[in-house]
Amino acid sequence: MAKLPKPEQLSKVEYKLPGKRWMNTPVEFKEGMYCNGTRPDYLETVDFPNPRKWAPSDEDWKLPENWKEIVLNGMKERLEKYRSFRLFMDICVRCGACADKCQFYLGTGDPKNMPVLRAELMRSVYRRYFTASGKMLGKLAGGRELTLDVLKEWWYYFYQCSECRRCSVFCPYGIDQAEITMIGREILNLLGLNTDWIAGPVANCYMKGNHLGLEPHTIKSNFEFMVDDIEEITGIKVEPSFNRKGAEILFVAPSGDMFGDPGTFTCMGYMMLFHELGLDYTWSTFASEGGNFGSFTSMEMGKRLNYKIYAEAKRLGVKWIIGGECGHMWRVVNQYMDTWNGPADFLEVPVSPITGTRFENAKSTKMVHIAEFTADLIKHGKLKLDPSRNDHLKVTFHDSCNTSRGMGILDEPRYIIKNVCNHFYEMPEDTIREKTFCCGSGSGLNAAENMELRMRGGFPRANAVKYVQQTHGVNMLANICAIDRAALPTLMNYWVPGVDVAGLHELVGNALVMKGEKERTQDLRLEDLPEKEGAENV
Amino acid sequence: MGALFSFVVVILLILIAYVGVAAVGMQSIFGTVVPYAAVLIFIVGVVYRVIKWGKSPVPFPITTTGGQQKSLPWIKQAKLDNPSGSAGVIGRMALEILLFRSLFRNSKSELRDGRLAYGSAKWLWLAAIAFHWSFLIVLLRHIRLFATPIPSFVSLLENLDGFLQIGAPRLYLTGVILLLAVTYLLLRRFYVPQVRYISLASDYFPVFLIVAIASTGILMRYFFKVDIVSVKELAMGLVSFNPTIPAGIGSIFYIHVFLVSILFAYFPFSKLMHAGGVYLSPTRNLANNSRAVRHVNPWDYPVKVHTYDEYENEFREKMINAGIPVEHSPAITPEEEEKLTEPTDDAEIPVGKE
Ligand code: HEM
Ligand code: SF4
Ligand code: SF4
């Protein structure tokens, strides 16, 4: 594996442009900047084409004879299926407003990471094969032959885009490179050109219900550990149920929360909250994944994985669904799930059994974000909270790309944080809310072999965290995304040592005063809470 | 490269018109045939392009949400940046089209000593808005030539536009602003390295063309002073489908008209179609209400899935041992038995963890 350069080196980004025009600059595969090619068995599991052993650095990618035809037909089909695609191929004026909005450009200085050029990689081929001027004038009209080099360039750069949609906020026409990347990856998948890190979780999720490939008994035993920890901290034994028919609510979380720090702390927070409310809910080992690496592969694969959620809700006979903290899961729930696998007319419009609030905004999907659910509880005064238990934390909040630009859940988590923490500081305005920067590892880029890319892509985010660390002493980066919880600790260690990462409901769990709990001396990480002045027991 | 090429093409176009009119005397071609053809190509082309876009459906609600969603009643929704209904969408689109709201967000990032800073960058927005609005007003002012009596809104525009009351003929501000703004946009393409790097010949061409159109227009109005009565006669002839070519109109007029015709004919096949496309952009013109109202995909099709029964068949025993409820009694059918005893390569599939 490539050696990761030191932060001092990586932070000296060169934005100088090569003298040669981009069309004449062939792609160069730099170690540390790309993921491994997918193993054949992953593709076989989901019946994807061209399973074989290959490596991106190989000269020969072992493509089918007629690969060019497959790509061009794939483009044609999608131009007819997606207005977004056709329009975005046609109307860019190359004003460059999007250029320095992408964290991968800011972090690498590679001009092909400017959203507009990332799109031009494909647009040039579109012009050559699908427009009259490109067919006649070729290069003069900005057209470009589809060659193996071009295909490799697509692969390299479509897997250096985290589908974060930041560019689309700034584009005067809303051209969304995420959409082009998604379609580009879909086309690459027609040739078996996925990455290992995406195809593996897809195969796992398809067969076992979750990305991590946790089997039902393993899920259960993981939970037992968490239940024990909760008991140690609070003296209360929570009793999560699995695959229980007749529960009122199905709870679906990203599987990352069931396995490994700091996701498990968030998971403990969920369980403590639900226990305290006496909520009639169940987990499912089959629908044990809210996230959807299928959506990083193709729309069809996304739909195939997402199917489980409604199917399981129906089988168990629940009334509605709550979803845990996960970024791309919520982009999928908000923008795709109902269209793919709805209508969920066997469910009821979600009504909080505690407050009676009817979630009108979710009346068709019947799925409520846990931050919406919890914010509503707090607003109605249904939770007893002791924010001073988070006093050892100086918290800032990272908006995940998906929940901010593909949904818009911005103030619910902030409201919760302000109620469970006494020390909350925002990062600079250009780096939060709809302008948030990606963690650098979204859309399935959170592998190990592309670590340099991740650190570079996460540089703008880390930079903003560093700012609040220096100005306010921030030591905790809160978020509502499982990929963040997996990826940000590495990013923080690299760029901003001393800042930890926590899911929102870990902070809730810390502050939640439970009926009959013992005096808390530890937080959810089993770390000692600092002695409280006056030691009053709430 | 692309810039030079586009520049040469525009010069050639000017020469063609000049030679055609001044040397060859093809006034009727350049004064009637070419404009008619151009307008025809424009209309057919634009309709064709818009129909083509319209034929591709919008399978998924992919609104780019630029603010707080509508959720709980006490949380303030960003009604324009994250609209939940048509009123919000109309407002959002109106601001995009009339004021270039997204472009107004533009910022500039700078890396200094390992720290990224973001500053305001409104020049692009200012030049773009100045260019487009003055272009529109200039275009509308031309109606004066094509209608008798002159519609009152056109006279009003002229009065507003010429309020400075300088010179004779009166100086119109929009003409000057148009030329300045488009020159800024052109210089930006030359001097901002990133923009230069991404620019194609087809980005320079319309800008050079518009510079040439605006320049010939200004020359004609303030310096060469073509005979406006004859020009109106020609224009009226065109719109009444009774074309005439009055004598004595200077060549500069024909050059101007030829360049405008080229712009019209070029429009549908170029990036200038952004003017039509912006209305259709699915990230902007959809409400973010897809959890409340189901969005239907017209080409949706059934997909292969892994069902619960298949899952339970694989894991039944493990589930029972772990105390997880199952659908089917533990009695195992022979096929299931076979399946269960099949060697699995579970151990090989790495857990998707850091
Ligand atoms: C609803 C109508 C329109 C909207 C919302 C719109 C919007 C925009 C925006 C936001 C830009 C980017 C900023 C820039 O590069 O200047 C732009 C560029 C441009 N527009 Fe428009 N536009 C419209 C109609 C037109 C029309 C009718 C023309 C006719 C010639 C036109 C010509 C151009 C040109 C040439 C550029 C590129 C300028 C450059 O090279 O930098 N636009 N437009
Ligand atoms: S902001 Fe939009 S129109 Fe401008 S270069 Fe980027 S994608 Fe093209
Ligand atoms: S979607 Fe995000 S990562 Fe991809 S090009 Fe746009 S800004 Fe960059």
Side-chain angles (χ1 to χ4, degrees), chain B residues 4-329:
Chain B
L4 187 65
F5 174 78
S6 298
F7 181 73
V8 170
V9 170
V10 172
I11 297 295
L12 278 178
L13 290 172
I14 294 174
L15 285 177
I16 289 172
Y18 183 67
V19 172
V21 173
V24 191
M26 297 198 295
Q27 268 80 344
S28 60
I29 301 280
F30 285 93
T32 57
V33 179
V34 170
Y36 274 137
V39 170
L40 193 69
I41 294 173
F42 176 82
I43 294 170
V44 174
V46 169
V47 169
Y48 172 78
R49 288 296 292 272
V50 172
I51 288 179
K52 197 146 180 182
W53 285 333
K55 268 170 117 177
S56 300
V58 180
F60 303 110
I62 54 164
T63 321
T64 301
T65 57
Q68 173 59 39
Q69 65 166 353
K70 178 176 181 213
S71 66
L72 298 162
W74 48 273
I75 292 181
K76 192 164 171 278
Q77 178 200 357
K79 290 212 163 77
L80 287 170
D81 288 318
N82 193 341
S84 54
S86 10
V89 167
I90 290 169
R92 185 183 206 191
M93 291 306 291
L95 288 175
E96 287 296 352
I97 287 158
L98 301 176
L99 296 177
F100 301 180
R101 187 148 186 266
S102 291
L103 197 61
F104 190 70
R105 288 200 185 94
N106 195 24
S107 62
K108 207 174 76 190
S109 48
E110 215 178 312
L111 182 63
R112 250 181 278 121
D113 310 324
R115 167 168 291 171
L116 279 164
Y118 312 93
S120 134
K122 302 277 184 263
W123 287 109
L124 172 61
W125 174 84
L126 189 70
I129 202 98
F131 161 62
H132 283 83
W133 274 105
S134 45
F135 192 99
L136 178 69
I137 294 171
V138 169
L139 212 63
L140 290 176
R141 278 202 282 96
H142 281 69
I143 292 175
R144 172 173 67 119
L145 301 172
F146 297 92
T148 344
I150 298 170
S152 56
F153 82 93
V154 175
S155 311
L156 182 73
L157 271 184
E158 287 178 345
N159 285 331
L160 287 175
D161 202 348
F163 84 103
L164 285 183
Q165 308 273 3
I166 307 175
R170 214 159 34 140
L171 178 75
Y172 286 137
L173 274 182
T174 47
V176 179
I177 296 175
L178 171 64
L179 196 56
L180 288 178
V182 79
T183 307
Y184 172 83
L185 292 174
L186 182 60
L187 291 179
R188 189 178 163 270
R189 271 199 198 283
F190 284 141
Y191 292 112
V192 179
Q194 280 94 342
V195 182
R196 183 191 171 95
Y197 195 65
I198 61 178
S199 294
L200 300 168
S202 57
D203 297 315
Y204 292 106
F205 179 66
V207 183
F208 279 123
L209 193 60
I210 291 169
V211 168
I213 290 172
S215 309
T216 48
I218 288 172
L219 284 175
M220 191 162 46
R221 179 173 165 84
Y222 303 103
F223 300 98
F224 293 102
K225 305 205 177 166
V226 290
D227 175 12
I228 201 73
V229 178
S230 313
V231 168
K232 177 141 189 177
E233 198 184 324
L234 187 148
M236 290 304 294
L238 283 175
V239 280
S240 59
F241 293 102
N242 195 4
T244 51
I245 299 292
I249 308 181
S251 317
I252 182 95
F253 169 77
Y254 290 97
I255 295 175
H256 186 70
V257 169
F258 184 60
L259 295 177
V260 172
S261 303
I262 295 291
L263 183 68
F264 270 71
Y266 176 73
F267 194 98
F269 309 102
S270 68
K271 71 169 194 182
L272 298 178
M273 278 304 288
H274 67 271
V278 62
Y279 295 91
L280 297 182
S281 182
T283 58
R284 290 286 187 273
N285 71 7
L286 291 171
N288 176 37
N289 61 354
S290 31
R291 276 200 291 155
V293 183
R294 181 166 184 259
H295 182 101
V296 177
N297 172 1
W299 49 258
D300 191 41
Y301 55 91
V303 294
K304 190 172 167 214
V305 294
H306 191 68
T307 63
Y308 175 79
D309 281 337
E310 288 170 293
Y311 170 85
E312 189 183 299
N313 284 344
E314 188 175 345
F315 295 113
R316 183 170 297 111
E317 196 149 342
K318 291 171 172 172
M319 291 169 80
I320 292 170
N321 289 340
I324 298 170
V326 292
E327 285 282 339
H328 304 284
S329 64

Side-chain angles (χ1 to χ4, degrees), chain A residues 5 29 58 60 68 76 81 109 140 147 174 177 196-197 211 327 404 410 443-444 459 512 531:
Chain A
F29 279 64
D58 290 348
D60 179 10
K68 218 161 141 171
K76 181 167 185 290
K81 277 181 162 175
L140 211 49
T147 62
Q177 177 54 38
D196 214 39
W197 190 260
H211 293 153
S404 53
L410 306 173
S443 80
F459 174 57
L512 184 70
E531 285 292 327

Side-chain angles (χ1 to χ4, degrees), chain A residues 501-515:
Chain A
V501 176
L504 180 64
H505 278 78
E506 177 185 343
L507 304 176
V508 172
N510 275 340
L512 184 70
V513 180
M514 299 172 76
K515 288 184 268 311

